[in-house]
Amino acid sequence: MKNLILVWCLSCLLHTVKSTLVDPKGYIMYCPCMGRFGNQADQFLGALAFAKSLDRTLILPPWVEYHWPNPKSVQVPFDKYFKVHSLAEFHKVMTMELFMEHLAPTVWPPGERIVFCFSARTHYVDKKTSDEPSCAAKDGNPFGPFWDTFEVEFDKNVFYGPLTYDSYNPHEIQRWLKRYPADKYPVLAFTGAPGAFPVSEGNVRLHKHLQWSDGIDKKAERFIKKNLPDGPFVSIHLRLGSDFQNACDHLSSSPMMFAAPQCFGYRQEHGTPDKEMCYPSDAAIVKQVKKAVKKVGAKSVFIGTDSRDLIDKMSKVIKDVKFIKSKKDNPHLDLALMARGDIFIGNCFSTFTAFVKRERDVKKLPSEFWAFKQKTIHDEL
């Protein structure tokens, strides 16, 4: 009898806990399926703002990564890289793993899973019905592998156009609330991130809620202690791969591409982009690093790079300074280390640089960009 009572009590407790976890205002879920980490992080800030404006819990998606030679994307849990509780202090959040395991069976059960997109893909029809337009939510990589990670199959498509993700337009938010109430649509599952790329001006400030996990913090601290001499250090981000060089060749037709607003402003009020800022010469890089080293009295320079590191060239010109980069392909460690430098130099157009710059702004640490000098009122006179 006592055992039965204990089981009943535990069952009641579990039900109570699950009930308190269920958000009556609903949830927002999405696939971070555009680009690599820098792009995903930009759009994450927009998704966070959008969830806040609708007062729905944001389901934190895993980060989508591409591990060569694996032909399919790999989904890495959100909390491997970032603290959930720091985001929860700003708004209601939970990891996708937790939602799918504990809440999805009742809140979002199979057979009732709706996917949202702005409009149908005109070349694609739903495979189940063969005659209805579809969001094609699982068509291709990383879309298919992302949803398959959680064994999600969609039962219905909803096209939300002409609504937008403008989190700061109260009229637009009311349209969302009226058109998709939580009691009828408990989960708004989007084919892509409900946030702008690059990150909109109003959402840059939200980066302060995105804090590295203890695991990443400890790795960065160990790296500095083991590899960098005592004293100030300069951190730099080099974007010198052929892919970026090709992108910079189109700068004249796309002057505000990628993360350009971080330098030139969202209305290009802070200057005019040019090729040297996008893909600086080796000589220009060495010169600017030398100046930064002298400015802070640096004993070392940490280099985050996806291609050439220029260590040979810099060490010939800049003496008595240790140059180092992480040996493993660990972009998140690189980001955390670049954010800790006494001064940082990055690329105006790189979203990877943009992530570092936002974190450093939160910490009030100085940052520069290759070959860029912000236009002032005096310059215009």
Side-chain angles (χ1 to χ4, degrees), residues 256-269:
M256 294 298 286
M257 66 180 183
F258 308 148
Q262 69 176 328
C263 282
F264 310 105
Y266 284 81
R267 293 161 291 281
Q268 207 171 317
E269 66 270 26

Side-chain angles (χ1 to χ4, degrees), residues 45-160:
L45 298 180
L48 180 62
F50 185 62
K52 178 81 169 179
S53 66
L54 294 183
D55 198 21
R56 285 176 174 259
T57 294
L58 178 62
I59 298 172
L60 302 172
W63 301 97
V64 173
E65 297 184 357
Y66 303 89
H67 299 170
W68 190 88
N70 192 331
K72 296 182 179 180
S73 65
V74 175
Q75 282 58 245
V76 180
F78 187 95
D79 54 359
K80 178 177 180 179
Y81 300 139
F82 299 99
K83 295 185 177 87
V84 173
H85 69 79
S86 64
L87 288 165
E89 292 173 356
F90 171 71
H91 183 61
K92 302 171 291 184
V93 295
M94 68 186 308
T95 64
M96 193 160 177
E97 291 78 9
L98 184 63
F99 175 83
M100 292 304 298
E101 181 179 358
H102 297 289
L103 296 182
T106 53
V107 175
W108 199 52
E112 299 178 16
R113 292 179 173 175
I114 301 172
V115 65
F116 289 75
C117 59
F118 186 82
S119 60
R121 294 193 188 182
T122 55
H123 68 285
Y124 190 95
V125 293
D126 194 308
K127 293 178 180 178
K128 293 181 180 179
T129 62
S130 75
D131 60 356
E132 292 184 5
S134 170
C135 292
K138 297 182 64 176
D139 188 24
N141 185 38
F143 301 93
F146 177 85
W147 297 112
D148 284 343
T149 299
F150 301 96
E151 300 181 345
V152 171
E153 297 292 340
F154 292 108
D155 306 291
K156 183 180 178 181
N157 300 273
V158 168
F159 313 116
Y160 62 81

Side-chain angles (χ1 to χ4, degrees), residues 196-215:
F197 177 80
V199 60
S200 64
E201 189 172 12
N203 293 333
V204 171
R205 61 185 176 83
L206 299 182
H207 194 101
K208 64 183 178 182
H209 304 291
L210 198 55
Q211 298 179 11
W212 291 112
S213 65
D214 289 339

